[in-house]
Amino acid sequence: MSSTMMDVPLTLDWIADRAERWFPDVEIVSRRPDKSLTRTTYARVIARAKRLARALGAAGIKRGDRVATLMWNHAEHLEAYFGIPLAGAVIHTLNLRLHPDEIAYIAMDAGDRILIVDDVLLPLYDKVVASGAKFERVLVVGSHGEHESYEAFLEAAPATRALPRLAETDELGTCYTSGTTGRPKGVVYSHRSTLLHTLVAAMPDSLSLSHADSLLPVVPMFHVNAWGLPYIAAMVGAKVVFPGCHLDPPSLLELMATERVTIAAGVPTIWIGIRDVLDAKPGHYKLVPNVRMIVGGSAAPEQLIRDFDRHGLTLIHAWGMTETSPIGTVSRLPAALEGADDATKYALRARQGRPVPFVELRVRNENGDVPADDTTSGEVHIRGPWISASYVGGHTPERWTDDGFFRTGDVARIDKHGFIKLTDRIADLIKSGGEWIASQELENALMGHPAVREAAVIGVPHPKWSERPLAAVVLKDGQLCVADELRTFLASRFPKFWVPDAFVFVETIPRTSAGKFKKTELRDTYRDWKW
Amino acid sequence: MSSTMMDVPLTLDWIADRAERWFPDVEIVSRRPDKSLTRTTYARVIARAKRLARALGAAGIKRGDRVATLMWNHAEHLEAYFGIPLAGAVIHTLNLRLHPDEIAYIAMDAGDRILIVDDVLLPLYDKVVASGAKFERVLVVGSHGEHESYEAFLEAAPATRALPRLAETDELGTCYTSGTTGRPKGVVYSHRSTLLHTLVAAMPDSLSLSHADSLLPVVPMFHVNAWGLPYIAAMVGAKVVFPGCHLDPPSLLELMATERVTIAAGVPTIWIGIRDVLDAKPGHYKLVPNVRMIVGGSAAPEQLIRDFDRHGLTLIHAWGMTETSPIGTVSRLPAALEGADDATKYALRARQGRPVPFVELRVRNENGDVPADDTTSGEVHIRGPWISASYVGGHTPERWTDDGFFRTGDVARIDKHGFIKLTDRIADLIKSGGEWIASQELENALMGHPAVREAAVIGVPHPKWSERPLAAVVLKDGQLCVADELRTFLASRFPKFWVPDAFVFVETIPRTSAGKFKKTELRDTYRDWKW
């Protein structure tokens, strides 16, 4: 026998219709390239998204076709987030921080038929085309020049064309991993996976998004769908403040103050820059009390959490990746530990936390699941309804276990509270004299030193130990620090053999398009280090 | 093409495994019939639930079989909530407040094979059996006498029997409507509907349940699964405080104080009793600040919300019914109205609010969807993944529209914020001289008068007007009030023809098993009223 419940698919039109019907007047604010702000509403964004969907259908876009975006975070990108899937098509958010060759490869691999591009990104678009990408049509938001206008495309949409009836297993969007090795690999999200991710991400112990929030997604909409935030915001009816292309700390802080932002989301680099400005100009920006700052993408140093607490801002640690939609874990202090001492609480908040509902997570090494002893390390395996089961084209099937878990490539320990702590990427572990050293742990400790702004630790070939750690350190403005001081600082926290043998002081550390340290480049630079 | 996402069903084992793995030490507190408290944990409850599932399997219970409970709210009932569905069976929570004949009818209609019953309810069980109910086995929690012991049944469970692999469309539980007319009708929830309901109910703008909460479900576990709270609590890892059979206000208030309850849920009658005790002994109970009190089941008078604010407790209005799993709407003040005056805010909080995600709601009359003018009334229609599409056996198919909405039988208006306000049940509307009068609106206004504890308004046959309203009023202790005063009180708020022609002052108002006014009985009592 079967239940008496209605058979209703989990499809994006539920969120679109909800925002349009119940939150019509909630504001969507966008920062434009000239730094001006424009304001629209959910009613208008969704009406335009539906218009886009009809226009795409009229243009011959069929179920499963790929439509790409090359855009910053703003209202038109939100229209594409809804309009493309409502047409039955698949939104492919191209990462504008990648090399044009790589963007071209990804667009061709996905088979993108139409591209929607910001006028300010046309120079990049030209390079992508020069690198071999071909699109049937290119729609330009803003000054379109000799190209086709996005606005004209919308205006020409038929007024009455029916949108396709969606199934929950239909494809909704596709993203490519910006891996540091090998070609980028694609995953494809379904309507079902996206909607379940949206529900779980909004929960109080996840990101806790409500209709009363004003959300600033600093994380780009071309990075794993801005962590799902555009869909979460529309579902709960939160105001959204899009920063456009202006991601410098003063521009962001100004937006946070004037638009009464209550929650923001971005990678550690962004927050380090914001912290530095707040330190330099305490009290200058009148922010809402207790703004929550979601940090993900890479591990946030504990010191950063402490620093923001001083400024009345709360950093909340989350973890995930392209293959996980992305939210896998969120760090929320267990209720039982609210009375614990600061050291315990900060240490827990700097961990990546516990899995959200419907995510099964285990940390495994060659002996099986690691004990919750906070000592034994293993690789994080993960399973759930918004975790990818493969890459497009079936590349590297060895990333999945026989029992259906995704091998994340992240190394972690787990403590008695069930909190995971990422210590490294498997590829970044340093093997010294037969023992493993976790580079990220050293980095986050170094970033707790008052003179250090950023630090990256890599393994460099060594004649005797196979590899030894080398630390590349960026000091804060006006700070002086010698290697011996950092060596002593680390020696009190780690086994002696973990302490880097070499410290180099540099201006900047190379980063990937996702804001992570580009360790391949660092390793190339220092490969011939003379020990 | 299909997405690359994992194909993972939404089944209850996800919640069970999550509570066991990530919240093992969180407390489950139960008040026993002798008023003592017992304490257990999620780890133990889920381990015992799995044992129950294995024991049921070994006892021949197969997928889709019905296993009934006749129990108060306590840890063993929570075990049944998980253990029965994990066995692939369907939990049928019998409503102990119904007449034994009705319980017997419902148990036989559902085909319940096994019954789990509290020892203190054995006298009721005997009556149910005398009324014709038959069960293959009866398991008694507590002093089992000549019956079979629930504990012994659990102990005899095989240690290793595999539990069935669940599909998300599998049946999970069944409930019967306690309608005031006709035979009770059953609906059957699926694993999918229950899990989606659980996710949405936990969200910040719904009930907002987190791991940091201590939850007191006063609403019985035999009423629409205690509004889904047991599953929500286990998913987020909240502490649960079960009141057992002691539902008098002092017992509840004592539990709220000693167990640091942060959120409670129940029908208006419960909160009216609690309000009266708080009014009589202000400051006596040391409650956590800002306890959230979820109220549902019937409309809460605005005055009650004001009264609780005075005591530092926040009443939150939700709406739903057996056929809707139950959560359909929740009343959360729109962010834009936080600066509004008290009158506006209280009026909005006393409405039933806006639909939660994935619930499509419309208010319809003979002219179609009503405008958002807060004047035009219609029936609430509702659709969504946890709304029933039929009754078991296909009874009264006219309750569903051709386009797949459930006709709730509730009459409502809708305002410019999209907030619905229930004004009556269709069956309770009073037709006077060709015009409709909404009885619940009159009742809630009367309950705003300082002398009135409770009020029910019914239509009584009238020779000239067809029907005229009569108000049955329970005064607060020590209060004196004459009909004329109430007449004047209402005349300032409603059209003149709405004001009841008769006021009768009574000791109590008869109630249904769900705590709602039993208007059929009132109408019988006053049917021959001499106008």
Side-chain angles (χ1 to χ4, degrees):
Chain A
M1 284 178 72
S2 65
S3 81
T4 63
M5 295 293 115
M6 292 182 182
D7 182 15
V8 176
L10 301 176
T11 47
L12 194 66
D13 46 331
W14 277 96
I15 297 182
D17 292 344
R18 174 174 176 78
E20 192 175 34
R21 170 81 180 83
W22 300 101
F23 312 113
D25 302 327
V26 173
E27 273 191 326
I28 312 295
V29 181
S30 305
R31 172 91 85 176
R32 299 300 172 182
D34 67 359
K35 296 210 81 175
S36 66
L37 296 179
T38 59
R39 293 170 190 280
T40 181
T41 62
Y42 277 120
R44 275 180 275 160
V45 164
I46 300 297
R48 283 170 55 91
K50 289 179 177 174
R51 185 170 267 276
L52 172 60
R54 294 196 301 274
L56 289 169
I61 289 294
K62 292 185 187 57
R63 175 166 286 180
D65 282 352
R66 269 59 177 161
V67 176
T69 62
L70 190 64
M71 295 161 108
W72 293 102
N73 289 14
H74 49 54
E76 288 80 5
H77 210 167
L78 186 60
E79 289 166 15
Y81 262 57
F82 283 97
I84 296 169
L86 290 183
V90 181
I91 178 168
H92 182 194
T93 50
L94 293 170
N95 182 343
L96 57 90
R97 295 235 175 83
L98 297 179
H99 189 279
D101 286 353
E102 210 165 17
I103 301 176
Y105 167 80
I106 290 172
M108 297 309 288
D109 190 67
D112 298 334
R113 291 186 60 193
I114 292 183
L115 173 73
I116 310 176
V117 59
D118 282 350
D119 54 3
V120 293
L121 292 170
L122 281 173
L124 173 61
Y125 162 77
D126 288 338
K127 289 183 196 161
V128 171
V129 170
S131 296
K134 284 187 186 66
F135 304 96
E136 292 173 28
R137 286 173 86 162
V138 178
L139 311 171
V140 178
V141 176
S143 307
H144 55 95
E146 80 275 26
H147 293 287
E148 191 173 353
S149 154
Y150 170 76
E151 284 301 324
F153 183 76
L154 242 63
E155 265 169 46
T160 55
R161 187 186 175 90
L163 296 179
R165 203 182 171 82
L166 301 167
E168 68 180 39
T169 51
D170 281 354
E171 299 173 314
L172 176 144
T174 181
C175 282
Y176 278 68
T177 60
S178 46
T180 45
T181 54
R183 283 291 205 182
K185 292 181 282 283
V187 298
V188 183
Y189 311 113
S190 66
H191 281 262
R192 173 182 164 108
S193 74
T194 302
L195 266 70
L196 290 172
H197 180 266
T198 305
L199 287 175
V200 168
M203 288 175 57
D205 292 327
S206 306
L207 307 187
S208 194
L209 258 284
S210 105
H211 78 278
D213 276 312
S214 171
L215 166 74
L216 176 75
V218 184
V219 52
M221 292 168 84
F222 51 79
H223 275 165
V224 212
N225 297 333
W227 304 344
L229 290 164
Y231 294 134
I232 305 169
M235 182 181 65
V236 305
K239 172 180 171 178
V240 185
V241 183
F242 286 119
C245 58
H246 299 286
L247 303 180
D248 58 293
S251 295
L252 294 174
L253 280 163
E254 187 199 303
L255 267 190
M256 289 173 71
T258 56
E259 298 300 327
R260 313 303 294 151
V261 166
T262 58
I263 179 166
V267 294
T269 333
I270 292 286
W271 302 137
I272 288 171
I274 299 249
R275 186 262 326 265
D276 291 350
V277 172
L278 290 174
D279 280 352
K281 295 182 165 187
H284 180 76
Y285 296 95
K286 307 297 174 209
L287 306 181
V288 170
N290 282 316
V291 178
R292 293 114 66 208
M293 328 260 281
I294 309 294
V295 62
S298 43
E302 181 182 323
Q303 186 57 40
L304 195 61
I305 303 175
R306 291 177 179 262
D307 291 343
F308 273 112
D309 274 3
R310 269 194 295 114
H311 293 293
L313 301 164
T314 305
L315 219 64
I316 297 165
H317 214 319
W319 167 84
M321 43 184 64
T322 303
E323 294 89 336
T324 68
S325 288
I327 296 171
T329 71
V330 180
S331 191
R332 296 272 179 188
L333 202 63
L337 290 169
E338 259 161 37
D341 58 281
D342 272 6
T344 305
K345 290 204 275 192
Y346 280 115
L348 272 170
R349 285 177 57 194
R351 302 178 80 100
Q352 282 68 30
R354 295 188 286 207
V356 296
F358 294 102
V359 165
E360 194 177 344
L361 181 149
R362 67 189 185 200
V363 180
R364 220 168 237 211
N365 65 17
E366 62 281 9
N367 302 318
D369 286 356
V370 305
D373 61 5
D374 205 20
T375 304
T376 318
S377 286
E379 184 181 14
V380 178
H381 291 186
I382 185 170
R383 183 176 165 264
W386 52 86
I387 315 295
S388 198
S390 65
Y391 289 121
V392 174
H395 297 295
T396 59
E398 65 275 16
R399 291 294 296 276
W400 284 268
T401 66
D402 289 342
D403 61 344
F405 281 75
F406 173 60
R407 297 184 214 263
T408 63
D410 276 332
V411 182
R413 301 191 304 258
I414 195 155
D415 73 5
K416 63 183 174 186
H417 307 295
F419 271 51
I420 63 161
K421 178 164 183 78
L422 296 189
T423 54
D424 222 337
R425 294 286 301 164
I426 287 181
D428 294 335
L429 282 171
I430 300 163
K431 189 145 199 179
S432 170
E435 299 281 346
W436 294 105
I437 298 172
S439 65
Q440 281 180 17
E441 285 207 89
L442 290 169
E443 291 160 8
N444 281 326
L446 280 170
M447 287 189 270
H449 187 282
V452 174
R453 190 169 192 275
E454 293 182 281
V457 177
I458 54 166
V460 171
H462 189 283
K464 180 170 175 192
W465 303 109
S466 154
E467 282 187 333
R468 283 298 298 155
L470 172 147
V473 175
V474 182
L475 294 178
K476 287 185 186 166
D477 287 349
Q479 293 286 337
L480 284 175
C481 186
V482 291
D484 277 351
E485 190 180 324
L486 295 178
R487 211 168 264 133
T488 312
F489 182 76
L490 292 179
S492 63
R493 288 165 173 76
F494 295 100
K496 196 163 164 239
F497 77 95
W498 278 46
V499 178
D501 288 345
F503 289 82
V504 292
F505 295 92
V506 295
E507 290 291 308
T508 56
I509 292 168
R511 291 189 177 272
T512 70
S513 66
K516 300 175 192 177
F517 293 144
K518 206 168 185 175
K519 295 204 174 173
T520 44
E521 192 176 318
L522 274 179
R523 281 193 283 262
D524 278 352
T525 306
Y526 297 105
R527 100 160 34 121
D528 299 319
W529 185 262
K530 299 290 168 242
W531 294 104
Chain B
M1 281 178 72
S2 64
S3 81
T4 63
M5 296 292 114
M6 292 181 182
D7 182 16
V8 176
L10 300 177
T11 47
L12 193 66
D13 47 330
W14 277 96
I15 297 183
D17 292 343
R18 175 175 175 78
E20 192 175 35
R21 170 81 180 84
W22 300 102
F23 312 113
D25 302 327
V26 173
E27 273 191 327
I28 311 296
V29 181
S30 304
R31 174 90 84 176
R32 299 303 172 180
D34 67 359
K35 296 210 80 176
S36 67
L37 297 179
T38 59
R39 291 170 192 281
T40 180
T41 62
Y42 278 119
R44 275 180 275 161
V45 164
I46 300 297
R48 282 169 56 90
K50 290 180 176 174
R51 184 171 268 276
L52 172 60
R54 294 195 302 273
L56 289 169
I61 289 294
K62 291 184 187 57
R63 174 167 286 183
D65 282 352
R66 268 60 176 160
V67 175
T69 62
L70 190 63
M71 295 161 108
W72 292 102
N73 288 13
H74 49 55
E76 288 80 5
H77 211 167
L78 187 60
E79 290 166 15
Y81 262 57
F82 283 96
I84 295 169
L86 290 182
V90 181
I91 178 168
H92 183 194
T93 50
L94 293 170
N95 182 342
L96 57 90
R97 295 233 176 81
L98 297 178
H99 190 279
D101 285 353
E102 210 166 17
I103 301 176
Y105 167 80
I106 289 172
M108 298 308 288
D109 190 68
D112 299 334
R113 292 186 59 194
I114 292 183
L115 173 73
I116 309 176
V117 59
D118 282 350
D119 54 2
V120 293
L121 293 169
L122 281 173
L124 173 60
Y125 162 77
D126 289 337
K127 289 183 197 161
V128 171
V129 169
S131 295
K134 285 188 184 65
F135 304 96
E136 292 173 28
R137 286 172 85 163
V138 178
L139 311 171
V140 178
V141 175
S143 306
H144 55 95
E146 79 275 25
H147 293 289
E148 190 173 353
S149 154
Y150 171 75
E151 284 301 324
F153 183 76
L154 243 61
E155 264 168 47
T160 54
R161 187 185 175 90
L163 296 179
R165 203 181 171 82
L166 302 167
E168 69 180 40
T169 51
D170 281 355
E171 299 173 314
L172 176 144
T174 182
C175 282
Y176 277 67
T177 59
S178 47
T180 44
T181 54
R183 283 293 205 182
K185 292 181 282 285
V187 298
V188 183
Y189 311 113
S190 67
H191 281 262
R192 174 182 164 108
S193 74
T194 303
L195 266 71
L196 289 173
H197 180 266
T198 305
L199 287 175
V200 168
M203 289 175 55
D205 292 327
S206 306
L207 307 187
S208 194
L209 258 283
S210 104
H211 78 278
D213 276 313
S214 172
L215 166 75
L216 176 75
V218 184
V219 51
M221 292 168 85
F222 50 80
H223 275 164
V224 212
N225 298 333
W227 303 345
L229 290 164
Y231 295 134
I232 305 169
M235 182 181 66
V236 305
K239 172 180 171 179
V240 185
V241 183
F242 285 119
C245 57
H246 298 286
L247 303 181
D248 58 292
S251 295
L252 293 174
L253 280 163
E254 188 199 301
L255 266 190
M256 287 173 72
T258 57
E259 298 300 328
R260 314 301 295 150
V261 166
T262 58
I263 179 166
V267 294
T269 333
I270 292 286
W271 302 138
I272 289 172
I274 298 247
R275 186 263 324 264
D276 291 351
V277 172
L278 290 175
D279 280 353
K281 295 182 167 187
H284 180 76
Y285 296 96
K286 307 295 175 210
L287 306 182
V288 170
N290 283 316
V291 177
R292 293 114 68 205
M293 329 260 281
I294 309 294
V295 62
S298 43
E302 181 182 322
Q303 186 59 40
L304 196 61
I305 302 176
R306 291 176 180 264
D307 291 343
F308 273 112
D309 274 3
R310 269 194 293 113
H311 292 292
L313 301 163
T314 307
L315 219 63
I316 297 165
H317 215 319
W319 167 83
M321 42 184 63
T322 303
E323 295 88 338
T324 68
S325 288
I327 296 171
T329 70
V330 180
S331 191
R332 295 273 178 187
L333 202 63
L337 290 169
E338 259 160 39
D341 58 283
D342 272 5
T344 305
K345 291 205 276 192
Y346 280 115
L348 272 170
R349 285 177 56 194
R351 302 178 79 99
Q352 282 68 30
R354 296 188 286 206
V356 296
F358 295 99
V359 165
E360 195 177 346
L361 182 149
R362 68 188 185 201
V363 180
R364 220 168 236 213
N365 66 15
E366 62 282 9
N367 301 318
D369 286 354
V370 305
D373 62 3
D374 204 22
T375 304
T376 319
S377 285
E379 185 181 13
V380 178
H381 291 186
I382 184 170
R383 182 175 165 265
W386 52 87
I387 315 295
S388 198
S390 66
Y391 289 121
V392 174
H395 297 295
T396 59
E398 64 274 16
R399 291 295 297 277
W400 285 268
T401 66
D402 289 343
D403 61 343
F405 281 75
F406 172 61
R407 298 184 212 263
T408 63
D410 276 333
V411 181
R413 300 191 305 259
I414 194 155
D415 73 4
K416 62 183 174 187
H417 307 295
F419 271 51
I420 63 161
K421 177 161 184 81
L422 296 188
T423 55
D424 221 337
R425 294 285 301 163
I426 287 182
D428 294 334
L429 282 172
I430 299 162
K431 190 144 200 180
S432 170
E435 298 281 346
W436 294 106
I437 298 172
S439 65
Q440 281 180 18
E441 285 207 89
L442 290 168
E443 291 160 7
N444 281 325
L446 280 170
M447 287 190 269
H449 187 281
V452 175
R453 188 169 194 275
E454 293 182 281
V457 176
I458 54 166
V460 170
H462 189 283
K464 178 171 176 192
W465 304 108
S466 154
E467 281 187 332
R468 282 300 297 156
L470 172 148
V473 175
V474 182
L475 294 177
K476 287 185 187 166
D477 288 349
Q479 294 286 337
L480 283 176
C481 186
V482 291
D484 277 350
E485 189 180 325
L486 295 178
R487 210 168 266 131
T488 312
F489 183 76
L490 291 179
S492 64
R493 290 166 172 77
F494 296 100
K496 195 164 164 237
F497 77 95
W498 278 47
V499 178
D501 289 344
F503 289 82
V504 293
F505 295 91
V506 295
E507 289 290 309
T508 56
I509 292 168
R511 291 190 176 271
T512 70
S513 66
K516 301 175 191 177
F517 293 144
K518 205 168 185 173
K519 296 203 173 174
T520 44
E521 194 175 317
L522 275 179
R523 283 194 282 260
D524 277 351
T525 306
Y526 297 105
R527 100 158 34 121
D528 300 320
W529 187 262
K530 300 288 169 241
W531 294 104

